[in-house]
Amino acid sequence: MLKVYNTLSRSKEEFVPLVENQVRMYVCGPTVYDYPHIGNARSFAVFDTIRRYLEYKGYRVFYVTNFTDIDDKMINRANEEGISVQELASKYIAEYLVIARQLNLKPATVNPRATEHIDDIIDMVQRIIEKGYGYVVDGDVYFDVSEWKSYGVLAKLASEDLEAGARVDIDERKQDPRDLALWKAEKPGEPSWDSPWGKGRPGWHAECSVMGKYYLGLPFDIHGGGQDLTFPHHENEIAQSASAYDVETPVKYWLHNGFLTIDSEKMSKSEGNFFTAREVLDNYEHQAVRLYLISGQYRQPLDYNAKAINQAIQSLERIRNAVDTIRGRILILERSGGRVAEADKKLKEAIDKLQEGFEKEMDDDFNTPGALAEVFTFIKASNTLTPKVGNTAVLREALAVLSEFLMILGIDLQAEEGGQDAGISSAKLSATIELLLEIREQARKNKDWAMADLIRDRLGEIGIEVADTKDGPTWKVN
Ligand code: AMP
Ligand code: ZN
C-alpha cells in the first residue's frame, strides 16, 4: 500500500486517487528568468521520480508542470538584459528543456505558460469578485483573506505569522496585510493585458490555480513543489481555487520537497549561495547528478557538497559494474551454452527480495535512499552469484528488474557511460572482444597461428588478457 505524506494533514496517508487507475498531478515549475540552480533541479528530479513510481504502480499519470513567464523577476531581468519578457522566457525555457533531458526528466504531459492563460485568469478573478472574496483598488484586484474563513488550512500558521509572511509586499491599499494580489495594474514599461479592471497582469499565485483547473479539473490528486511554496503560494492557491470554482478541497494530497542546502542553508538565488544546474551538469556526469538529487528522502534537506556528489559517482560505478558483470555472463553463456546451476535459484531469490524491498521502501512516501539500499544489497549478492549462474533467463530477469527500478530513480542503464550521446558501453566493448576471439578461433582452425597470436598479443597490449582453456578462450581485463 502506497503511503504519502500530505502537508495538508501533516501525516502519511494511504494514497487513493480520486479516479480509479489515474493520477492527476501538478508541480510548480520554474520561473524562467534565469538558469535554474541545482536546488530547483532537486524539486524537478524528486517529482519526476514520484511520477515514474506512480506509473510503475499502474496509474495513468497526467503530469502538468508550468513555466512562470510573467512576474516581477521576469520583468526586472528582461529590462536589465534589454530584451522583451517573451524573449527572456524563450531563452530560459529552452535552457530548462536541455537540463530536463540531461537529468532524464520524463517530458510532462503538458508544460503550460502563465501568459497562455490570461483570459482564464481574468475569468477566475472575476468569479472571486462576484462571490464576494475579491475587491478592486485602482486597477489592482486583491483577495480578501479575512472573508475566507479557512485561510491557513495548509500553512497552519498562527494568524500573526500569516501576516508576517504577507508583509514582504506590504501595500497600503490592502484592507488586510494578508490579502493577496490577484491582478496587478499596469506600471510603465511592463507587459500588460486588457481586463475589466484596466490594463494589467496576473498576480503570481493566480496562474497555478487556473492551469491546474484547466488541465486537470478540480479536485485533482497531487500538487507538488518545494516546501517554500507551502506559504503563501499554495495557501493562496487553495483560497483562490476553492472560492472561484466552488470546490471545498481543490487538491487531495499536497507534497513538498525539502531544500537542497549548502552548509545547512537553503540554496537560493537571493542569498547568492547557489550553483546553477548548468555548471553542475557541465562538471559531473549527468546520471551521477540525477542519482545525487534523489539520494535523500525527498522531504529531508539534502546538502550539496563534493563528498555527496562523489558518493553518487561511486554508486553509479558500482551499479554499472554489476550490470556489466551480468551482461558479460550472458555473453559467455550464449557462447558456451547454458546449464542449470545452484546459483540460478539464489539469484532468483535475490531478485524477488529486491522487488519486495524496493516497493516497500517506495511505498513508504517514496523513500528513495531505502530503495537504493535495496538495489545495493541486490548488487552485492549478484556480484558473487552471477559468475556461477548457468542460465541466461535469470540473468536477463535481473537486468530487466534492475533497469526498471533504476529508471524510476531516473537512471537509464541504456544510456552510454561518460556522456549522454557519445562513447561505447562496456557491454558493447565486451561483445567486440568476444567477436575478436571468435575471429581468432577461426584463424586457429585455419592454422593461421600468426593471426591468432597477433590478436592475443594486441589485446594483451591494451590490457585484455586472453587465456586458452579446454572450454575455449576466456579473457579478463588486467
Ligand atoms: P522557482 O523557479 O524559484 O519558482 O522554483 C522552482 C522550484 O524549485 C519550486 O518548487 C521551489 O520550491 C523549488 N526550490 C527552490 N529552491 C529550492 C531549494 N534550495 N531546494 C529545493 N527546492 C527548491
Ligand atoms: Zn505554482
Side-chain angles (χ1 to χ4, degrees):
M1 177 178 62
L2 173 60
K3 286 192 156 188
V4 302
Y5 184 90
N6 190 351
T7 310
L8 203 54
S9 65
R10 300 287 193 275
S11 64
K12 281 187 198 170
E13 297 175 17
E14 182 185 354
F15 180 75
V16 184
L18 291 155
V19 177
E20 216 181 332
N21 298 329
Q22 73 175 42
V23 176
R24 285 168 295 147
M25 102 185 247
Y26 185 101
V27 178
C28 289
T31 309
V32 284
Y33 75 109
D34 201 350
Y35 293 99
H37 60 60
I38 192 70
N40 302 131
R42 180 187 192 193
S43 189
F44 309 150
V46 155
F47 286 104
D48 180 69
T49 285
I50 290 176
R51 175 227 191 139
R52 286 175 184 270
Y53 188 62
L54 290 166
E55 286 175 344
Y56 168 78
K57 298 283 278 184
Y59 298 111
R60 178 158 182 224
V61 181
F62 296 88
Y63 189 87
V64 179
T65 182
N66 66 305
F67 293 125
T68 297
D69 62 350
I70 180 75
D71 80 341
D72 292 342
K73 283 186 273 188
M74 293 288 303
I75 294 168
N76 294 341
R77 181 59 62 93
N79 287 342
E80 276 166 34
E81 293 197 15
I83 56 176
S84 71
V85 168
Q86 237 174 351
E87 281 168 320
L88 184 77
S90 302
K91 177 171 160 189
Y92 289 111
I93 285 173
E95 172 64 17
Y96 169 87
L97 293 173
V98 172
I99 286 170
R101 192 170 61 81
Q102 293 177 338
L103 287 175
N104 196 20
L105 306 180
K106 203 170 168 181
T109 315
V110 56
N111 278 122
R113 307 176 190 193
T115 57
E116 293 167 344
H117 288 276
I118 301 290
D119 288 348
D120 306 311
I121 292 172
I122 291 172
D123 176 71
M124 180 184 79
V125 175
Q126 231 161 352
R127 286 166 186 258
I128 292 172
I129 297 172
E130 280 161 19
K131 301 220 157 119
Y133 297 109
Y135 60 94
V136 185
V137 191
D138 305 333
D140 284 341
V141 186
Y142 293 100
F143 188 96
D144 189 350
V145 167
S146 58
E147 280 297 312
W148 188 252
K149 297 303 171 217
S150 61
Y151 195 73
V153 62
L154 183 69
K156 301 204 188 344
L157 295 173
S159 163
E160 56 272 26
D161 293 328
L162 291 172
E163 270 186 38
R167 278 213 197 93
V168 192
D169 63 330
I170 200 135
D171 186 331
E172 299 281 291
R173 294 167 305 169
K174 288 184 186 177
Q175 292 174 4
D176 180 322
R178 296 175 302 167
D179 288 355
L180 58 113
L182 296 167
W183 185 262
K184 297 180 169 191
E186 180 186 26
K187 291 199 196 108
E190 287 188 358
S192 63
W193 290 263
D194 288 327
S195 84
W197 321 287
K199 277 182 169 296
R201 63 183 168 96
W204 169 41
H205 314 297
E207 70 179 81
C208 291
S209 278
V210 163
M211 293 190 280
K213 150 99 165 48
Y214 186 92
Y215 291 100
L216 300 172
L218 295 180
F220 59 85
D221 300 289
I222 295 179
H223 197 312
Q227 95 193 13
D228 52 331
L229 300 186
T230 310
F231 181 80
H233 185 52
H234 290 159
E235 187 68 52
N236 291 348
E237 213 183 302
I238 294 176
Q240 292 162 167
S241 300
S243 60
Y245 304 122
D246 295 318
V247 274
E248 205 177 320
T249 312
V251 175
K252 191 166 178 190
Y253 304 97
W254 287 90
L255 271 55
H256 292 102
N257 67 271
F259 294 135
L260 188 138
T261 56
I262 286 198
D263 299 331
S264 307
E265 295 289 328
K266 179 195 174 201
M267 181 179 283
S268 79
K269 281 272 159 69
S270 53
E271 292 301 317
N273 61 345
F274 66 91
F275 290 95
T276 62
R278 176 72 289 120
E279 59 193 318
V280 176
L281 286 162
D282 284 348
N283 282 331
Y284 301 102
E285 196 194 331
H286 304 162
Q287 303 229 50
V289 178
R290 169 72 189 231
L291 192 59
Y292 156 71
L293 290 173
I294 54 87
S295 62
Q297 207 279 343
Y298 77 94
R299 286 191 292 119
Q300 304 303 322
L302 179 71
D303 208 51
Y304 182 76
N305 53 57
K307 192 169 158 232
I309 290 273
N310 283 329
Q311 236 158 30
I313 293 170
Q314 281 167 20
S315 297
L316 192 61
E317 200 177 302
R318 271 170 71 198
I319 292 168
R320 286 195 175 126
N321 286 342
V323 167
D324 285 342
T325 304
I326 299 173
R327 285 176 178 160
R329 183 70 191 160
I330 292 175
L331 288 173
I332 290 168
L333 289 175
E334 276 174 350
R335 282 169 53 84
S336 65
R339 64 198 152 76
V340 176
E342 174 67 15
D344 301 4
K345 205 169 113 244
K346 290 196 174 143
L347 187 63
K348 174 70 181 136
E349 280 164 13
I351 297 171
D352 292 345
K353 218 163 143 275
L354 168 65
Q355 200 128 26
E356 199 182 306
F358 187 94
E359 287 189 24
K360 185 165 160 276
E361 294 295 344
M362 291 298 280
D363 275 350
D364 180 13
D365 195 28
F366 313 104
N367 186 17
T368 49
L372 267 174
E374 293 292 334
V375 168
F376 285 111
T377 303
F378 171 78
I379 280 176
K380 200 161 164 235
S382 154
N383 285 344
T384 22
L385 291 170
T386 295
K388 296 179 230 150
V389 167
N391 167 5
T392 55
V394 69
L395 293 169
R396 287 186 205 285
E397 187 183 342
L399 277 185
V401 172
L402 261 183
S403 304
E404 185 170 33
F405 287 170
L406 287 163
M407 197 58 151
I408 292 171
L409 304 177
I411 306 302
D412 182 357
L413 291 178
Q414 306 308 322
E416 307 298 355
E417 195 176 337
Q420 272 49 41
D421 306 314
I424 178 163
S425 71
S426 304
K428 287 203 180 102
L429 275 178
S430 302
T432 310
I433 294 166
E434 295 285 331
L435 173 68
L436 282 169
L437 293 185
E438 245 173 76
I439 296 170
R440 180 168 171 270
E441 284 307 284
Q442 202 58 52
R444 279 157 60 102
K445 267 191 201 137
N446 297 340
K447 302 200 185 327
D448 185 352
W449 311 115
M451 176 61 83
D453 288 349
L454 180 74
I455 293 175
R456 190 194 57 207
D457 295 347
R458 283 294 169 86
L459 282 172
E461 278 167 25
I462 55 173
I464 295 159
E465 189 189 325
V466 177
D468 292 307
T469 73
K470 65 176 173 22
D471 299 326
T474 62
W475 59 275
K476 65 176 186 187
V477 180
N478 278 325

